[in-house]
Amino acid sequence: MSRPAPSPLLAAALLVLGIAGLLPVGWMLARLAAEPEALSVLGLGGAGADPRVMGLLGRTIGLGLASSAVAALLGAPFGFLVARTDLPGRGVLRAAGVLPFLIPPLLVAATWTQVVSLRGAPMTALLLGLSSAPVVALFTARAAERIDRRREEAALLTGGVRAALRLELPLLLPAVLAGAAFAFLFTIQDFALPDYVSSVGPKFNVFADEVFAVWSVDQDAAEAVATSVPLVLLTLAALLPGLLLMRRGALGTIERDFEAPRPLPLGRAKPIALLFALLFVLAGAGVPLGRLAWEAGGGPRGWTSEALRAAFARALELGREDLRDTILYATAAATLAVPLALALGHRAERGRFGRALIVLVVLPLAVPAILYGIGTVLVWNRPLLQSFYASGGLVVLMMIGRFLCFPTLVCQGATAAMDARLEEAALLAGAGPTRRLARIVAPPLRPSLFGAWTLVFVLAVRELDAAVIVPAAKHTAMYRVFNAVHFGRDDFVAALALLVIFVVVLPGLVWGLFSSRRMEFLP
């Protein structure tokens, strides 16, 4: 196996990881260590834990478990159907099934709550589960495609489709659980969707909401960090098993001389399976997009094409700068993050201390987005750094630090599936580490690299929780929509939301038009 030597790109990646990703986390820990009395906010005294804190913790855990269960129940069968069966139109459905994840959760909530009157905890869990179900579907589909055909054919010969399913389900379970773990992670860290759903009717507080409230009211960094401690522990409880299961689910079904499996016949179940897949896409993407288009065209006043065009014209006029800044920030973050992630992911897979490196890379993800935004403010809000603190450069740096773990994991997994002998041959030929990455490793990983770029771009455009903390990040389209849906619902807001969604899906559309290969989001 090739042992990569240090390279300038790897050194730059480690430097950016330290400054953008780890420094805000370390700064918050330092503030808490300097003011340990702030932990009293959790009520961990001799009389026991504060009932209010325990209530918040219980609601957050319950919400995470409920939404991840919804995501697994919807995403696992959908992912298997579009990846491994003869479902009609499965290629189109597979691409459309990613849309619920691409649509910002706040917009899913803002539309569905206008369609049905259900609010509170049940609606919050359903909507978060619906938004994160594509994550489970992607993990499931990826693992299902890696089951060797010879195993499956042997099971089919001995017991038919039922025997094949009994063989495959245990192999798919790690991937399903990994997707559910990440769904749990996204749920417990989400601030905007629970806040919006409970803005009308009974309030449903969760820990992310509490951390935001503490910072907004008191601007007390130590107290905000202390308040988030249970949320950090919950995040770690989901993240660490999720990473282990992701690795096992992605690579556990691959064998030597692998042969791709054939589609399983659905038989009489085909109409039911097709209906389920269509409802999955309709609920996650069709309803939000349809409702926004209806509101943009006039809604209850009467829908007209003229009103729709006027709404888009107004959205472009008033939100042009926010959309421009959003695209620039997300593009810069994704473009800078991918080469850094390639160096980090390759080093983690081929070099020594790979597991320790991955722990450092994912550490910023263990910190809730609200708290990560607070840490960014603490680090950079200083008199000598005010010009950078108020600039878009801080937004790009924050997005890189926050999301660098995702492309790194993608690159690590893609490197693991690549034959190391190619790199060894280049090493013997005298190629340096940077040249090997550029000439040997990167070309066959192109679908994964563009998938990693798209993933960072999508997450950066969707990012809202950290944006509500960092002043420079408030000049984005999602923050403008966040303010507008709370304080003024009109056709302009719906049109701007549709423009945001278009920006999110644009990279996938471009790839689909100009490439015959499928984009890879997972290892």
Side-chain angles (χ1 to χ4, degrees):
M1 179 179 291
S2 166
R3 294 292 184 186
S7 67
L9 182 59
L10 178 61
L14 292 172
L15 180 63
V16 172
L17 172 63
I19 294 176
L22 301 180
L23 187 57
V25 178
W27 209 277
M28 288 183 287
L29 293 176
R31 286 297 294 268
L32 187 58
E35 301 179 45
E37 63 276 6
L39 288 170
S40 62
V41 71
L42 297 177
L44 301 177
D50 187 343
R52 181 173 177 277
V53 173
M54 297 307 295
L56 280 170
L57 182 60
R59 285 194 294 273
T60 304
I61 294 175
L63 178 63
L65 292 175
S67 63
S68 58
V70 171
L73 290 173
L74 295 176
F78 181 86
F80 184 81
L81 286 172
V82 298
R84 290 288 296 105
T85 69
D86 60 350
L87 185 74
R90 60 194 180 107
V92 175
L93 287 170
R94 181 170 185 164
V98 182
L99 285 175
F101 179 73
L102 300 182
I103 298 175
L106 175 64
L107 301 182
V108 176
T111 50
W112 263 108
T113 51
Q114 300 299 314
V115 175
V116 297
S117 58
L118 183 63
R119 292 274 186 163
M123 192 62 170
T124 304
L126 285 172
L127 294 179
L128 285 170
L130 188 62
S131 294
S132 54
V135 177
V136 181
L138 286 171
F139 276 96
T140 305
R142 187 61 167 161
E145 290 175 329
R146 295 187 169 190
I147 296 175
D148 194 277
R149 186 175 68 185
R150 291 163 297 186
R151 281 191 181 192
E152 187 176 76
E153 289 178 346
L156 287 170
L157 289 173
T158 57
V161 175
R162 291 185 178 180
L165 292 177
R166 284 196 299 269
L167 165 73
E168 294 182 2
L169 289 179
L171 298 175
L172 298 178
L173 185 59
V176 174
L177 292 177
F182 278 96
F184 183 91
L185 173 69
F186 293 142
T187 294
I188 63 174
Q189 290 196 1
D190 195 286
F191 152 75
L193 190 149
D195 176 73
Y196 181 84
V197 173
S198 62
S199 62
V200 176
K203 187 68 175 175
F204 181 72
N205 287 338
V206 292
F207 253 111
D209 197 15
E210 182 73 6
V211 175
F212 176 72
V214 169
W215 175 257
S216 300
V217 174
D218 300 327
Q219 295 287 301
D220 189 325
E223 185 177 346
V225 174
T227 303
S228 68
V229 167
L231 189 55
V232 172
L233 295 177
L234 274 180
T235 301
L236 289 172
L239 180 61
L240 297 180
L243 292 174
L244 294 174
L245 289 165
M246 180 180 69
R247 182 74 171 179
R248 182 179 174 187
L251 301 178
T253 55
I254 292 182
E255 300 176 351
R256 291 188 177 184
D257 303 322
F258 173 76
E259 294 185 16
R262 295 175 180 174
L264 290 171
L266 289 171
R268 295 180 180 179
K270 186 177 294 186
I272 298 176
L274 180 60
L275 178 62
F276 169 79
L278 291 173
L279 289 175
F280 180 92
V281 176
L282 178 64
V287 170
L289 293 175
R291 177 72 191 194
L292 289 172
W294 182 74
E295 290 183 5
R301 301 189 306 273
W303 192 95
T304 63
S305 58
E306 291 78 9
L308 183 65
R309 287 194 292 270
F312 275 110
R314 186 162 177 251
L316 287 172
E317 177 186 358
L318 299 180
R320 180 182 293 109
E321 293 185 0
D322 296 326
L323 284 168
R324 179 202 62 197
D325 290 346
T326 296
I327 295 172
L328 289 176
Y329 296 158
T331 301
T335 303
L336 293 172
V338 167
L340 302 177
L342 177 61
L344 292 171
H346 181 265
R347 182 73 181 190
E349 183 60 33
R350 299 283 196 243
R352 297 178 180 177
F353 310 112
R355 291 184 178 179
L357 179 58
I358 287 298
V359 169
L360 292 178
V361 169
V362 302
L363 189 59
L365 189 63
V367 177
I370 291 286
L371 190 60
Y372 187 83
I374 294 172
T376 302
V377 170
L378 294 177
V379 170
W380 298 101
N381 187 15
R382 302 181 180 283
L384 295 178
L385 300 173
Q386 280 303 302
S387 59
F388 180 72
Y389 178 73
S391 72
L394 178 61
V395 182
V396 174
L397 189 70
M398 179 185 70
M399 290 176 175
I400 292 175
R402 177 75 180 156
F403 302 127
L404 185 60
C405 59
F406 292 110
T408 300
L409 292 172
V410 172
C411 291
Q412 182 197 16
T415 301
M418 181 180 174
D419 193 342
R421 290 173 295 184
L422 297 174
E423 299 175 60
E424 291 171 354
L427 178 62
L428 292 174
T434 303
R435 188 177 180 185
R436 293 200 303 273
L437 275 179
R439 298 290 183 87
I440 305 300
V441 179
L445 268 57
R446 191 175 295 113
S448 295
L449 293 177
F450 193 82
W453 188 96
T454 302
L455 188 58
V456 176
F457 181 87
V458 167
L459 293 172
V461 173
R462 285 185 12 155
E463 178 56 38
L464 180 59
D465 289 358
V468 301
I469 300 295
V470 179
K474 294 181 180 180
H475 302 289
T476 59
M478 268 310 301
Y479 186 80
R480 189 178 183 96
V481 171
F482 171 73
N483 276 335
V485 297
H486 282 83
F487 302 113
R489 292 294 297 273
D490 56 20
D491 46 7
F492 150 71
V493 179
L496 182 59
L498 286 172
L499 289 174
V500 171
I501 295 172
F502 175 74
V503 169
V504 171
V505 303
L506 185 59
L509 292 176
V510 173
W511 178 266
L513 289 174
F514 295 100
S515 177
S516 59
R517 302 178 66 181
R518 192 176 68 213
M519 191 190 307
E520 299 292 351
F521 291 100
L522 297 177

